[in-house]
């Protein structure tokens, strides 16, 4: 039996003994506090094609995410996620397998809407133009009350790890051969992360402000969502790198129900305009649009100007089919005429 199968079996057995199984795959907790273990997960099947400056790559991925959380009393919670990924690269003729820990933390409720958590944190903010991190080692002081949300996050993250600080990473030819294994800490020394975030929710509308630091770069930005009708919204984010004097912006229209109210049979359409100046982010490991924000021949990030479109269809209460297509060109440099594109087809189900 493989290591991943053994761990899955052990977690399942522990869950059954505790008597509670949760179908929440996001890791979010509600206001009800109990001392039972909650257990869930998400499976994703992904087909991805990336085109960048004359090159083309094709990937096939299988992602399996498993999480559990334990409330020890009315104030204390522990949460832990495992992710197993198998990626087939047709262009390089290789298969890559990873087994990593994500989003493992302890939370202590302080009362009156305040809490603090520490550990390995996933953190997504706004339209995910700047911050879409799967793994940062940090402390998060949080306030969440009366539709007002605020965070102060202080920690470190390592962009060279493909959003994973620890785990097992194996790459080998599809046809077989010698296996290359890298275990434990993957990547170089972490870089500092600071985030100061405020968000106010007005029904389904929201407005957010943030400031922070990534490595040696300082940022501030704002984002918002406004629903013209129950099924048509305007979503936007503007991010400024004050150190490099560079900007990034996203503005888009969304046609469909709000994400938290989608039902089986619902179709959602999104059309987004993106502009990211060259060097606005020192790397592409934090932004959601990492496959569009790429480097030139010298290793410098030359930005992106273009469109990103997405269509999603709810097949069931917990099953979704998504097609995403992005296309544009670098914002600066001699390769501005070159095409950058990405196509992603993803089937996901949660339990």
């Amino acid at each position: 039996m493989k290591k991943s199968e053994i761990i899955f079996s052990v977690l399942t057995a522990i869950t059954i003994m505790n008597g509670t199984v949760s179908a929440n795959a996001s890791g979010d907790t509600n206001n009800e506090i109990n001392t039972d273990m909650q257990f869930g997960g998400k499976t994703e099947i992904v087909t991805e094609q990336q085109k960048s400056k004359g090159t083309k790559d094709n990937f096939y991925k299988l992602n399996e995410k498993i999480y559990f959380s334990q409330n020890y009393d009315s104030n204390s919670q522990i949460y832990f996620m495992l992710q197993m990924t198998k990626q087939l690269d047709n262009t390089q003729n290789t298969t890559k397998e990873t087994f990593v820990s994500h989003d493992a933390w302890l939370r202590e409720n302080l009362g009156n809407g305040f809490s603090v958590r520490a550990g390995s944190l996933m953190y997504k903010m706004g339209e995910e133009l700047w911050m879409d991190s799967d793994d940062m080692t940090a402390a998060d002081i949080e306030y969440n009350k009366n539709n007002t949300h605020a965070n102060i996050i202080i920690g470190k993250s390592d962009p060279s790890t493909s959003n994973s600080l620890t785990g097992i990473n194996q790459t080998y030819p599809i046809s077989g051969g010698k296996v290359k294994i890298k275990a434990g800490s993957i990547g170089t020394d972490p870089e500092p992360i600071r985030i100061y975030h405020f968000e106010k929710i007005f029904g389904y509308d929201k407005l957010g402000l943030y400031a922070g630091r990534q490595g040696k770069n300082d940022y501030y930005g704002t984002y918002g969502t406004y629903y013209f009708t129950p099924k048509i919204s305007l979503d936007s984010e503007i991010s400024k790198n004050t150190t490099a004097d560079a900007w990034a912006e996203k503005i888009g229209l969304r046609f469909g129900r709000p994400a938290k109210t989608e039902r089986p049979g619902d179709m959602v359409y999104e059309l987004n305009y993106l502009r990211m100046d060259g060097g606005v982010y020192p790397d592409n490991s934090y932004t959601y649009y990492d496959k569009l924000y790429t480097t030139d021949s010298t290793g410098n990030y030359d930005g992106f100007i273009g469109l990103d479109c997405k269509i999603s269809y709810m097949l069931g209460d917990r099953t979704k089919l998504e097609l995403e297509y992005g296309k544009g060109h670098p914002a600066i440099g001699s390769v501005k005429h070159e095409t950058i594109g990405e196509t992603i087809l993803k089937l996901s189900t949660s339990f």
Side-chain angles (χ1 to χ4, degrees), residues 23-44:
N24 178 3
S26 67
D28 294 336
T29 58
N30 53 35
N31 293 326
E32 181 181 353
I33 300 296
N34 57 66
T35 56
D36 291 328
M37 175 175 284
Q38 297 180 352
F39 172 78
K42 188 173 187 178
T43 300
E44 298 176 340

Side-chain angles (χ1 to χ4, degrees), residues 181-304:
I181 300 177
K182 194 172 185 180
S185 179
I186 305 172
T188 58
D189 292 336
E191 62 178 16
I193 290 288
R194 304 287 187 273
I195 301 174
Y196 308 94
H197 176 211
F198 174 85
E199 180 181 270
K200 184 67 176 180
I201 299 174
F202 310 91
Y204 292 119
D205 301 336
K206 63 183 178 181
L207 176 65
L209 303 169
Y210 62 81
R213 165 167 284 204
Q214 176 186 339
K216 298 179 180 180
N217 294 265
D218 294 316
Y219 293 88
Y220 68 82
T222 182
Y223 63 88
T225 295
Y226 177 75
Y227 274 86
F228 299 102
T229 74
K231 291 187 178 182
I232 302 178
S233 68
L234 176 69
D235 306 285
S236 62
E237 180 174 349
I238 299 175
S239 178
K240 167 74 170 180
N241 181 332
T242 59
T243 306
D245 192 23
W247 291 86
E249 59 184 347
K250 169 188 173 180
I251 183 168
L253 288 172
R254 186 179 188 275
F255 303 89
R257 298 180 194 272
K260 293 183 179 180
T261 65
E262 290 180 32
R263 306 170 184 172
D266 280 357
M267 187 85 77
V268 175
Y269 304 89
E270 298 179 39
L271 176 63
N272 301 299
Y273 169 77
L274 295 171
R275 180 185 177 92
M276 294 179 278
D277 290 345
V280 64
Y281 306 128
D283 56 73
N284 63 356
S285 296
Y286 297 87
T287 177
Y288 172 82
Y289 301 99
D290 56 327
K291 300 299 189 300
L292 302 177
Y293 184 70
T294 58
T295 60
D296 59 19
S297 58
T298 64
N300 295 316
Y301 285 88
D302 48 16
F304 176 81

Side-chain angles (χ1 to χ4, degrees), residues 6-113:
I6 295 173
I7 293 178
F8 182 87
S9 301
V10 171
L11 292 178
T12 303
I14 294 174
T15 302
I16 294 173
M17 287 187 293
N18 278 269
T20 296
V21 177
S22 169
N24 178 3
S26 67
D28 294 336
T29 58
N30 53 35
N31 293 326
E32 181 181 353
I33 300 296
N34 57 66
T35 56
D36 291 328
M37 175 175 284
Q38 297 180 352
F39 172 78
K42 188 173 187 178
T43 300
E44 298 176 340
I45 302 173
V46 183
T47 300
E48 181 177 338
Q49 182 182 89
Q50 182 182 0
K51 185 177 181 181
S52 179
K53 307 178 182 72
T55 64
K56 183 183 291 186
D57 294 311
N58 292 288
F59 303 95
Y60 302 94
K61 297 180 183 179
L62 175 63
N63 295 324
E64 185 70 41
K65 300 178 182 180
I66 301 172
Y67 80 86
F68 67 90
S69 66
Q70 176 78 54
N71 297 315
Y72 288 99
D73 52 41
S74 60
N75 294 317
S76 303
Q77 180 190 14
I78 184 172
Y79 181 91
F80 185 75
M81 177 184 287
L82 298 173
Q83 177 170 314
M84 293 158 280
T85 300
K86 186 167 185 176
Q87 175 177 296
L88 173 65
D89 186 336
N90 276 354
T91 305
Q92 301 295 327
N93 198 36
T94 59
T95 297
K96 180 180 180 180
E97 293 181 348
T98 58
F99 179 86
V100 296
S101 61
H102 279 304
D103 211 21
W105 42 261
L106 295 170
R107 184 200 297 273
E108 186 73 18
N109 291 319
L110 306 178
N112 201 30

